[in-house]
Amino acid sequence: MLKKILSISGKPGLYRLVTNGKNMLIVESLLNGKRMPAYARDKVVSLGDISIYTTEEDMPLGEVLEKVKEAADGKQVDVKAIGDDAAVRAYFKTILPEYDEDRVYTTDIRKLFSWYNQLVAAGVTDFKNEEIAEDEAAESAEKADSESKA
């Protein structure tokens, strides 16, 4: 699901990929549903391609969003109520204790919470990588086929 959700540099909010055009993408705002083109000159990043630095391996954004969802009980996170930068970092440390404090900035954490809130408001609550889930389903189907043939 996150592969089709995009962040476009210089434009507020998140966008859902609708279709590919010639030298552009047609995207739809998650905030108001308006469609617009995103051209090749725009810096477009899929949320499925983003990861968070941790002390061991980088963690995909989908896994981090799942942890935020668990911590917030599926509700939006009120970043202003958390407080200053130190409080935001301390709250994020409870969600993801292994994040790399030197390479993950407070602005990154605030942006992560902002994206999470936008996704929840748009009704997107399944943050797991669907490609991995499809691969696991295919593997289990193959395993069941091979067991039934044996």
Side-chain angles (χ1 to χ4, degrees):
M1 183 68 184
L2 290 181
K3 284 283 186 194
K4 295 190 182 216
I5 305 294
L6 308 172
S7 172
I8 302 173
S9 183
K11 299 193 186 305
L14 294 174
Y15 299 85
R16 184 183 323 265
L17 176 64
V18 177
T19 187
N20 296 346
K22 186 174 184 180
N23 296 325
M24 69 178 164
L25 302 172
I26 304 298
V27 297
E28 180 178 79
S29 172
L30 290 181
L31 296 174
N32 57 20
K34 289 186 178 181
R35 290 186 178 188
M36 62 182 231
Y39 297 100
R41 68 178 179 269
D42 297 324
K43 183 178 178 189
V44 179
V45 179
S46 167
L47 295 191
D49 295 336
I50 298 174
S51 60
I52 301 293
Y53 294 118
T54 63
T55 52
E56 289 107 36
E57 295 181 4
D58 295 350
M59 182 176 285
L61 185 64
E63 291 180 29
V64 177
L65 290 172
E66 279 293 328
K67 289 181 180 262
V68 173
K69 182 171 98 174
E70 289 171 14
D73 294 326
K75 299 180 179 118
Q76 293 190 3
V77 176
D78 188 3
V79 181
K80 291 181 181 177
I82 295 173
D84 64 351
D85 289 353
V88 169
R89 284 184 161 278
Y91 178 68
F92 191 62
K93 186 101 174 143
T94 63
I95 295 170
L96 189 67
E98 66 270 15
Y99 87 95
D100 190 337
E101 296 180 43
D102 295 331
R103 297 194 296 175
V104 177
Y105 300 108
T106 307
T107 54
D108 299 331
I109 298 170
R110 289 184 186 276
K111 183 178 279 192
L112 172 98
F113 288 144
S114 170
W115 285 349
Y116 170 79
N117 290 340
Q118 290 176 46
L119 290 168
V120 169
V124 179
T125 56
D126 183 21
F127 304 118
K128 292 187 179 172
N129 191 346
E130 63 191 29
E131 293 169 1
I132 292 173
E134 289 172 5
D135 291 343
E136 289 173 356
E139 286 176 11
S140 63
E142 288 174 13
K143 190 175 184 180
D145 286 343
S146 64
E147 288 175 357
S148 64
K149 290 178 182 176

